[in-house]
Amino acid sequence: MLRKILLLLQLQLPILFFISVSIGRVNSHQESGEWSCESGSEIRVDAEFKPGLISLDGHAEDWKDIDGFEFSLLPALDPHPDHEYKAGKMTVKALHDGHDVFFMLQVDGDYVYSKGNSNKCPSVSLMFQIGDSATYHDMGGCSQGTGSCTNKTCRGHEVDIMHFSIGNAIPGRLYGGNLVDNSEGNGGDRFGHLVDLYAWNPHCRYLDGLGPSGNDTSAQNDWKGAWWHSSFDINSGFVEEDSPYSSDGKQGTYYFEFSRPMRTVDRLQQDAQFTIGSSSKMSVAFWYPVDGQPWHGSGHYSVDCDWVPLDISSGNSMLTSTGPSASGNVSSAFALLLSVVSLCVSIFVGYRLFRPKSIPFTPMENL
């Protein structure tokens, strides 16, 4: 009996640790002054219908012909151009295959990696609006505090979050939803820390399936993802013993690649649901240990100071663009068929009119 209790505690420790660390990090989420935002109306991310194109491995070769949007990275709490991420901009690309939606994040940065210490490694997050009243600012914008935020008091302020901290993730390997954590009914990932969360504000943020009102075992982590850096000199695959995988300070580009089903089995209002032909609202955050200093939870950069539209395109645009050509091909084929039939009829009529007349034989006795 004692062994079973110890085993249960061992399995729960990663989840309890994540919750305590998450709450501890966001307690310093304090802004320096009054919030202001000047978001560009022209920015948006287009997810076109491109089936059978992406292999989820962190490599960017599959995405070379996919257009993306390039964003300046500004501090989330103080989005002033003077404090922009100096190493470069972030390019965000997206597409879907009718079942899953895929994302590729590309950002320049000298290679840094500290195994087991995620705060000294780059990290990324995707956030999506769920509730109609959920704002980008304040991660949902619910006014309730940690002691009073619930699915009732903060109804309509839900946001969906995917967070990937790579300190325990091997480059090119797939992380996110797995049988162990999903069997426990939560959005955790004890292997690579690619976790599925929801929030009402920065102080009320939980793994899917967990929350102040109790745990619900129907939840799961629906995300998959991998990462890569352009300084790596092998493509055959890394194992944990290869860490740190490259030399610190090497110039290059980080690649973060993710996928998730467009529709999930969520019944707790903890996942954003994507619809073909519709637009959703999203944001992207990036953490980087500038000058080797560990980052903290609220010290991240963001692609914009407000929601960015995510357009899930349908396949109709592809059909429309090829429509006139297809119509012309059908018309040409019909005209050719009609010409052939007309020629055959002409030959048959000519043959009937001009064929030799045969004279019937008449026996002599009938004359």
Side-chain angles (χ1 to χ4, degrees):
M1 181 65 179
L2 179 61
R3 181 178 297 178
K4 291 183 178 179
I5 294 175
L6 291 174
L7 180 60
L8 181 61
L9 289 173
Q10 184 179 4
L11 291 174
Q12 294 297 325
L13 277 176
I15 297 174
L16 296 174
F17 173 77
F18 174 81
I19 294 174
S20 63
V21 170
S22 298
I23 294 174
R25 287 177 184 166
V26 299
N27 280 340
S28 61
H29 193 275
Q30 300 294 330
E31 295 165 7
S32 57
E34 185 178 349
W35 174 257
S36 63
C37 172
E38 296 180 4
S39 178
S41 59
E42 76 284 355
I43 62 174
R44 63 195 322 104
V45 176
D46 293 319
E48 295 186 359
F49 177 62
K50 299 282 186 180
L53 190 63
I54 300 302
S55 298
L56 202 63
D57 53 12
H59 296 264
E61 289 83 357
D62 300 341
W63 295 85
K64 65 181 186 301
D65 296 324
I66 304 300
D67 294 330
F69 200 99
E70 190 176 71
F71 296 90
S72 297
L73 289 168
L74 302 177
L77 298 186
D78 184 18
H80 194 282
D82 290 346
H83 304 140
E84 181 179 347
Y85 175 69
K86 304 301 182 183
K89 301 183 185 300
M90 174 181 280
T91 300
V92 180
K93 299 182 178 183
L95 60 83
H96 73 94
D97 63 4
H99 181 272
D100 294 331
V101 59
F102 299 83
F103 297 93
M104 167 59 77
L105 314 180
Q106 303 174 196
V107 58
D108 292 338
D110 293 346
Y111 185 73
V112 288
Y113 187 82
S114 180
K115 186 177 184 300
N117 190 348
S118 292
N119 296 65
K120 298 190 73 172
C121 303
S123 179
V124 293
S125 180
L126 301 176
M127 183 170 73
F128 304 90
Q129 184 189 52
I130 302 177
D132 292 339
S133 301
T135 59
Y136 159 80
H137 179 55
D138 250 358
M139 201 180 291
C142 180
S143 60
Q144 301 295 319
T146 54
S148 57
C149 59
T150 67
N151 57 359
K152 293 182 179 180
T153 60
C154 289
R155 180 67 185 273
H157 290 274
E158 303 87 355
V159 294
D160 185 10
I161 302 172
M162 184 283 305
H163 187 213
F164 190 22
S165 295
I166 66 174
N168 289 309
I170 303 170
R173 302 300 181 182
L174 205 59
Y175 294 97
N178 60 81
L179 292 176
V180 178
D181 291 297
N182 282 348
S183 67
E184 296 183 3
N186 65 71
D189 174 17
R190 68 190 65 195
F191 303 106
H193 199 87
L194 196 164
V195 294
D196 193 351
L197 310 100
Y198 70 100
W200 298 301
N201 62 47
H203 310 286
C204 299
R205 182 180 61 172
Y206 306 93
L207 289 172
D208 281 13
L210 307 183
S213 302
N215 302 341
D216 190 303
T217 57
S218 68
Q220 63 181 17
N221 188 341
D222 294 292
W223 287 94
K224 301 285 187 183
W227 73 278
W228 196 257
H229 192 266
S230 60
S231 68
F232 297 151
D233 54 8
I234 67 171
N235 289 312
S236 57
F238 288 109
V239 293
E240 188 174 2
E241 288 74 18
D242 296 324
S243 177
Y245 315 110
S246 185
S247 301
D248 275 3
K250 275 193 173 182
Q251 293 184 341
T253 302
Y254 280 96
Y255 301 99
F256 302 92
E257 190 175 28
F258 306 103
S259 74
R260 201 211 77 172
M262 299 183 66
R263 311 292 292 186
T264 72
V265 295
D266 168 54
R267 59 181 182 84
L268 304 173
Q269 194 74 345
Q270 296 173 358
D271 285 342
Q273 304 297 330
F274 305 117
T275 302
I276 295 175
S278 298
S279 182
S280 299
K281 295 179 179 179
M282 70 172 296
S283 185
V284 184
F286 177 63
W287 290 259
Y288 188 84
V290 178
D291 298 326
Q293 298 301 311
W295 51 260
H296 57 90
S298 60
H300 58 280
Y301 299 94
S302 183
V303 296
D304 197 56
C305 61
D306 203 351
W307 290 119
V308 175
L310 170 66
D311 296 331
I312 310 292
S313 302
S314 67
N316 291 337
S317 58
M318 298 176 63
L319 294 175
T320 301
S321 64
T322 60
S325 176
S327 177
N329 291 337
V330 171
S331 299
S332 300
F334 181 78
L336 178 61
L337 178 62
L338 188 60
S339 299
V340 172
V341 171
S342 299
L343 179 62
C344 292
V345 170
S346 300
I347 293 174
F348 177 78
V349 172
Y351 173 76
R352 294 286 295 178
L353 291 176
F354 299 105
R355 69 177 180 176
K357 297 291 192 292
S358 57
I359 302 174
F361 171 74
T362 304
M364 291 294 295
E365 58 268 28
N366 294 334
L367 296 177

